Amino acid sequence: MWSWVAHRVTGVLIFFFLFVHVLDTALVRVSPEDYDKVVATYKTPIVALLEYGLVAAILFHALNGLRVIAVDFWSKGPRYQKQMLWSVVGLWLVLMLGAIYPVLGHAAQELFGS
């Protein structure tokens, strides 16, 4: 059940990110100066943490979506759904650990120096 909830929550979060992304990109046509100010705020460590959360949401949503497809279309899928869920969680954790430096490296350098 929790994977169902997490799948819906990550889907909604991704949708809201895309909505905000379209709005801030459209701002370049309305006011380039304000667009530059908004983009400057994206270089802060707090936004880097939000980006890491976005990567986590997209990655979980994608991996769990593949699991849902396997459960729906593979004849043995329902029998192995628990094992596939733990495989998704394990792969997600490994990939998220690998994403720490590429996503948060700049924020760490800004906060703690190089």
Side-chain angles (χ1 to χ4, degrees):
M1 178 180 148
W2 288 110
S3 66
W4 182 88
V5 171
H7 195 75
R8 272 46 179 194
V9 168
T10 55
V12 169
L13 291 174
I14 294 165
F15 170 78
F16 282 122
F17 163 76
L18 289 172
F19 182 71
V20 169
H21 178 64
V22 168
L23 288 178
D24 73 0
T25 304
L27 188 61
V28 76
R29 302 280 292 168
V30 177
S31 174
E33 297 82 20
D34 289 335
Y35 174 78
D36 291 339
K37 290 177 190 175
V38 169
V39 169
T41 64
Y42 290 164
K43 297 175 184 171
T44 63
I46 292 172
V47 174
L49 284 173
L50 293 173
E51 285 177 344
Y52 189 72
L54 177 65
V55 170
I58 291 172
L59 189 59
F60 178 81
H61 193 80
L63 293 172
N64 193 53
L66 293 174
R67 183 189 71 86
V68 169
I69 290 170
V71 169
D72 287 346
F73 292 107
W74 182 35
S75 62
K76 295 180 183 179
R79 183 182 319 154
Y80 295 111
Q81 69 177 340
K82 187 180 257 186
Q83 292 90 339
M84 287 189 291
L85 174 63
W86 286 113
S87 298
V88 163
V89 170
L91 182 59
W92 179 79
L93 283 172
V94 168
L95 292 173
M96 288 308 298
L97 285 172
I100 288 175
Y101 181 74
V103 177
L104 296 177
H106 176 72
Q109 288 176 351
E110 189 172 318
L111 286 174
F112 305 115
S114 49

